[in-house]
Amino acid sequence: GTARLFVNRIGNRNNWLGLRLLGKKANRDMLGARVEVVVTVRQVLLRRARTDGSYCSSQDPRVLVGLGKAERVEAVRVRWPDGNLEEWKNPPINRYLTLKEGTSQGKK
């Protein structure tokens, strides 16, 4: 069929965080990595880096997390496909960040 373009004219009403996950050796998207976005101790949002979708389609490999009205994030934890766990504390919100394997403030 014909191509369609959808435009969000509502505007940006809530906070969000976008993450691009890169491996340390090949700078490749780390598909399969699991992400925990710690908004508060009681609110942890879980996501997975993936591109799978439906038949003949794919998704952006970046991880997009809606934060609602939350004004900050305490930490982002990434469990890489090899099992290593890293944590980035107090990341800025309402933007895309690139998290590269082996560059966090603390390994778990």
Side-chain angles (χ1 to χ4, degrees), residues 32-36 77-86 108:
R34 298 196 180 273
V35 177
E36 295 178 9
R77 296 182 193 126
V78 178
R79 174 140 341 250
W80 301 103
D82 66 2
N84 288 331
L85 179 66
E86 290 187 87
K108 293 274 183 180

Side-chain angles (χ1 to χ4, degrees), residues 17 19 35-40 43-45 72-78 86-91 99 105 108:
L17 178 61
L19 304 169
V35 177
E36 295 178 9
V37 176
V38 182
V39 178
T40 67
Q43 184 183 10
V44 178
L45 306 170
R72 65 182 295 272
V73 167
E74 291 184 14
V76 173
R77 296 182 193 126
V78 178
E86 290 187 87
E87 179 176 90
W88 286 263
K89 293 184 185 261
N90 303 309
L99 304 182
Q105 298 103 335
K108 293 274 183 180

Side-chain angles (χ1 to χ4, degrees), residues 29 31 47-64 96:
D29 291 311
L31 302 179
R47 300 291 186 273
R48 181 175 58 94
R50 61 194 192 103
T51 59
D52 57 335
S54 61
Y55 178 72
C56 289
S57 70
S58 66
Q59 296 181 27
D60 186 341
R62 296 176 296 181
V63 176
L64 183 61
Y96 280 98

